[in-house]
């Protein structure tokens, strides 16, 4: 039997989770759930200079909102903890020592000024096999001097000693084999004595190994680091348990030119973060999908299809379908255009497919802001919502579309009045009141039949009568089927509104 799939989402707490990071988390989640494996959340906080307070809570809250559940992590616990890198220092010390003792890494004392001087002196300087003998490190200074300097408290780093001239191949489940020559790599810093912390590269691969990660699924921006990671796996003697790599395509600007950035969102008016973010450093606020009125299911569906397709033209899919049908074979190598209009479309689709009573529940707080919601039964609100939901993108749009069900018009759309309110309209509508009063079953169909035959019998112009009627009920010539409106408003309210309209609406040329 294959070993249990273990994937990890490994964000750094350097600010709010970008929507691209959410997509990475989602693909990890889909794969973990499909395979019955484990989804791990690891906090990569080794870069102390970029730490932003509140980020970790934000990440947890965002994933919870989206329904991306975690099996092992800082909050969830698990057998492979700690799940926060700043709590794993001793583990990294141990592993740095393993590489140093094996001669696969070395200590370097070069100061920033010395490095800068070398960069000026040597064109395209890179700290590697061709230059390391020119530098101040344990290879050139010898063991004793190195020890003396360390004991004297001189700051140092540990660098990975990369052997030049060998081909390094990364097996990627989306991209196939990606091969580079080790000579292009520099001797990456693995550890810094200044803050006693490992760098991303060391911590990342040590943790992936110790946490028994089987698939590293992450953004394409990490592909250039992958050959180094392969070499580190080999240096530790872990080549046999190397995870599968999966580098997901970039998210591109809506016009397809270049990587999606926060600025694109600001400029074009869409969020690039799942939740609103209050920046603790400068007090600025960035918008989020949740606060903008998106349903988490819609955001998830939208993101799932940014870089993956189910192999057919399905778009709206349940999470279970996505889990079942997800595959790396159907992930694209090329970047995915971030078409936020499509996200609105998904939101609309999810809202119209939602159970009416549930949608009414989501609308209640908005209704309460505008009207005395206690006056209306849940059933009434549910019916109102069901009649207009085909016209909305966000729950908040329900007030614009259905507000007239909860309060009689106080003003009448001028251009509709001009077009539809004729000299004889008050007379015709007064007659209509009589017709409506005589209807015993005030539901949509019978009301429609009675009113239509009255119009026909008298030879009234259908368009004008119906639009003037609508104007008195809605305040404008828009809204759902008129007899669905009258059914819900009821006879008394319908007639009251017609009377009010007759009293208030002044004909266009008066
Ligand atoms: N900490 C890295 C990040 O913030 C993780 C990259 C990886 O998944 O290896 O994206």
């Amino acid at each position: 039997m294959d070993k249990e799939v273990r994937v990890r989402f490994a964000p750094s707490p350097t600010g709010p989770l970008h929507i691209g990071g959410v997509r990475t988390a989602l693909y990890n989640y889909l794969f973990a759930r499909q395979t019955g494996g484990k989804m791990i959340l690891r906090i990569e906080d080794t870069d102390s200079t970029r730490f932003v307070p509140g980020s970790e809570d934000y990440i947890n809250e965002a994933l919870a909102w989206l329904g991306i559940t975690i099996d092992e992590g800082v909050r969830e616990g698990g057998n492979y903890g700690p799940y926060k890198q700043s709590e794993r220092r001793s583990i990294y010390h141990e592993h740095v020592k393993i590489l140093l003792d094996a001669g696969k890494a070395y200590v370097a004392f070069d100061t920033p000024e010395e490095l800068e001087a070398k960069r000026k002196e040597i064109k395209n300087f890179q700290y590697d096999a061709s230059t390391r003998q020119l530098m101040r490190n344990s290879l050139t200074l010898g063991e004793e001097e190195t020890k003396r300097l360390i004991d004297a408290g001189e700051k140092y780093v540990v660098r990975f000693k990369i052997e030049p001239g060998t081909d390094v191949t990364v097996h990627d489940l989306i991209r196939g084999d990606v091969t580079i020559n080790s000579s292009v790599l520099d001797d990456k810093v693995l550890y810094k004595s200044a803050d006693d912390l490992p760098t991303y590269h060391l911590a990342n691969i040590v943790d992936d190994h110790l946490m028994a990660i089987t698939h590293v699924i992450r953004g394409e921006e990490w592909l250039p680091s992958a050959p180094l990671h392969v070499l580190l796996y080999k240096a530790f003697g872990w080549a046999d348990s190397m995870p599968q790599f999966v580098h997901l395509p970039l998210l591109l600007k809506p016009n397809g030119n270049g990587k999606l950035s926060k600025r694109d969102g600001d400029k074009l008016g869409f969020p690039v973060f799942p939740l609103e973010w209050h920046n603790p450093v400068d007090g600025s606020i960035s918008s989020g999908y949740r606060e903008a009125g998106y349903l988490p299911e819609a955001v998830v569906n939208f993101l799932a299809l940014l870089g993956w397709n189910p192999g057919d033209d399905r778009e709206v899919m349940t999470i279970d379908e996505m889990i079942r049908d997800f595959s790396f074979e159907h992930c694209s190598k090329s970047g995915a255009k971030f078409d936020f209009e499509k996200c609105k479309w998904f939101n609309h689709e999810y809202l119209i497919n939602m159970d009416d009573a549930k949608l009414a529940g989501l609308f209640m707080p908005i209704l309460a802001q505008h009207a005395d919601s206690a006056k209306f039964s849940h059933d009434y609100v549910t019916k109102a919502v069901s009649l207009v939901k085909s016209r909305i993108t966000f729950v908040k749009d329900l007030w614009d579309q259905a507000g007239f069900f909860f309060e009689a018009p106080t003003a009448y759309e001028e251009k509709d009045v001009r077009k539809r309110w004729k000299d004889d309209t008050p007379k015709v509508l007064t007659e209509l009141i009589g017709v409506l009063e005589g209807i015993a079953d005030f539901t949509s169909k019978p009301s429609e039949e009675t009113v239509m035959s009255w119009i026909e019998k008298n030879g009234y112009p259908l368009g004008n009568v119906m639009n003037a009627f609508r104007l008195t009920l809605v305040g404008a010539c828009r809204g759902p089927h008129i007899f669905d409106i009258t059914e819900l408003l009821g006879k008394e309210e319908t007639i009251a509104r017609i009377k009010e309209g007759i009293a208030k609406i002044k004909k266009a040329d008066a």
Side-chain angles (χ1 to χ4, degrees), residues 221-463:
E221 63 274 26
W222 300 101
L223 183 59
S225 302
L228 172 71
H229 296 182
V230 168
L231 288 176
L232 277 168
Y233 262 90
K234 289 187 174 159
F236 279 114
W238 300 333
D240 289 345
S241 60
M242 189 136 53
Q244 298 275 2
F245 288 101
V246 185
H247 290 93
L248 305 175
L250 276 182
L251 293 188
L252 304 176
K253 295 179 190 301
N255 65 13
N257 295 322
K259 195 177 157 198
L260 177 72
S261 71
K262 171 160 156 35
R263 233 171 316 130
D264 300 319
D266 294 342
K267 212 166 56 198
L268 299 166
F270 62 90
V272 295
F273 301 119
L275 316 178
E276 195 169 87
W277 166 251
H278 295 245
N279 187 328
V281 182
D282 62 12
S284 64
I285 296 177
S286 304
S287 65
Y289 280 84
R290 180 177 65 184
E291 290 74 11
Y294 288 87
L295 297 170
E297 299 85 354
V299 176
V300 161
N301 198 155
F302 166 65
L303 288 178
L305 294 176
L306 283 182
W308 168 75
N309 67 77
D312 52 39
D313 55 11
R314 269 175 301 157
E315 293 195 290
V316 175
M317 298 172 74
T318 64
I319 189 70
D320 289 336
E321 285 175 284
M322 291 181 240
I323 289 170
R324 188 191 64 204
D325 297 339
F326 182 76
S327 75
F328 298 125
E329 293 85 73
H330 284 124
C331 287
S332 73
K333 290 196 212 12
S334 49
K337 237 191 275 178
F338 194 83
D339 178 4
F340 64 96
E341 290 300 332
K342 192 79 196 189
C343 192
K344 288 190 191 162
W345 178 83
F346 273 110
N347 211 55
H348 165 80
E349 289 294 311
Y350 273 83
L351 286 173
I352 58 175
N353 290 317
M354 187 184 280
D355 173 65
D356 290 336
K358 187 173 167 200
L359 183 56
L362 295 181
F363 175 54
M364 283 317 278
I366 295 165
L367 176 61
Q369 285 168 17
H370 293 277
D372 181 2
S373 57
K375 283 202 324 227
F376 305 97
S377 70
H378 195 260
D379 203 35
Y380 183 90
V381 180
T382 302
K383 284 194 183 120
V385 155
S386 77
L387 289 176
V388 302
K389 66 177 183 177
S390 64
R391 302 152 197 261
I392 62 165
T393 302
F394 300 109
V395 175
K396 65 176 189 305
D397 300 340
L398 284 170
W399 176 253
D400 296 334
Q401 297 297 333
F404 65 87
F405 281 116
F406 306 96
E407 67 186 13
T410 50
Y412 301 89
E413 186 67 47
E414 232 174 88
K415 73 170 190 342
D416 293 334
V417 171
R418 213 175 304 129
K419 188 160 171 214
R420 301 297 186 178
W421 202 264
K422 305 292 175 195
D423 284 343
D424 65 345
T425 301
K427 179 185 138 297
V428 176
L429 290 187
T430 306
E431 207 179 297
L432 173 62
I433 291 173
V435 174
L436 296 173
E437 268 165 352
I439 299 175
D441 176 359
F442 210 67
T443 57
S444 186
K445 260 253 133 25
S447 310
E448 178 170 6
E449 278 161 19
T450 309
V451 172
M452 286 306 155
S453 66
W454 162 73
I455 289 177
E456 211 171 299
K457 204 176 75 205
N458 292 283
Y460 293 139
L462 179 70

Side-chain angles (χ1 to χ4, degrees), residues 80-311:
Y80 296 79
Y83 292 91
K84 190 185 284 197
Q85 290 188 326
S86 57
E87 293 168 12
R88 299 172 64 82
R89 284 173 199 256
S90 61
I91 297 172
Y92 306 128
H93 283 158
E94 221 176 277
H95 285 84
V96 168
K97 189 166 178 313
I98 291 173
L99 291 183
L100 283 171
D101 289 350
K104 292 177 175 168
Y106 60 93
V107 171
F109 297 100
D110 318 272
T111 62
E113 295 74 29
E114 285 165 346
L115 288 168
E116 191 46 41
K118 268 287 180 276
R119 269 185 216 112
K120 286 204 176 114
E121 188 187 318
I122 302 174
K123 202 164 161 255
N124 299 327
F125 172 81
Q126 164 166 295
Y127 209 121
D128 62 15
S130 70
T131 56
R132 62 172 87 105
Q133 73 282 359
L134 308 171
M135 309 301 290
R136 231 153 53 79
N137 54 48
S138 54
L139 303 173
T140 56
L141 300 171
E143 212 174 306
E144 224 167 280
E145 176 65 358
T146 300
K147 189 171 173 330
R148 194 188 64 76
L149 291 173
I150 292 176
D151 290 345
E154 188 149 335
K155 298 250 188 310
Y156 67 93
V157 299
V158 173
R159 287 182 180 270
F160 187 34
K161 190 173 172 215
I162 292 188
E163 300 303 336
T166 60
D167 279 344
V168 190
T169 299
V170 178
H171 302 288
D172 185 290
L173 293 183
I174 296 179
R175 285 148 216 280
D177 283 358
V178 180
T179 302
I180 62 139
N181 194 280
S182 65
S183 301
V184 306
L185 300 173
D186 66 334
D187 290 353
K188 274 274 170 322
V189 172
L190 302 178
Y191 168 85
K192 306 176 284 348
S193 72
D195 56 9
D196 187 31
L197 279 169
T199 57
Y200 154 73
H201 301 290
L202 182 90
N204 188 266
I205 83 115
V206 165
D207 288 349
D208 282 348
H209 177 71
L210 296 180
M211 295 181 182
I213 299 302
T214 57
H215 296 75
V216 167
I217 305 168
R218 61 186 173 190
E220 180 180 296
E221 63 274 26
W222 300 101
L223 183 59
S225 302
L228 172 71
H229 296 182
V230 168
L231 288 176
L232 277 168
Y233 262 90
K234 289 187 174 159
F236 279 114
W238 300 333
D240 289 345
S241 60
M242 189 136 53
Q244 298 275 2
F245 288 101
V246 185
H247 290 93
L248 305 175
L250 276 182
L251 293 188
L252 304 176
K253 295 179 190 301
N255 65 13
N257 295 322
K259 195 177 157 198
L260 177 72
S261 71
K262 171 160 156 35
R263 233 171 316 130
D264 300 319
D266 294 342
K267 212 166 56 198
L268 299 166
F270 62 90
V272 295
F273 301 119
L275 316 178
E276 195 169 87
W277 166 251
H278 295 245
N279 187 328
V281 182
D282 62 12
S284 64
I285 296 177
S286 304
S287 65
Y289 280 84
R290 180 177 65 184
E291 290 74 11
Y294 288 87
L295 297 170
E297 299 85 354
V299 176
V300 161
N301 198 155
F302 166 65
L303 288 178
L305 294 176
L306 283 182
W308 168 75
N309 67 77

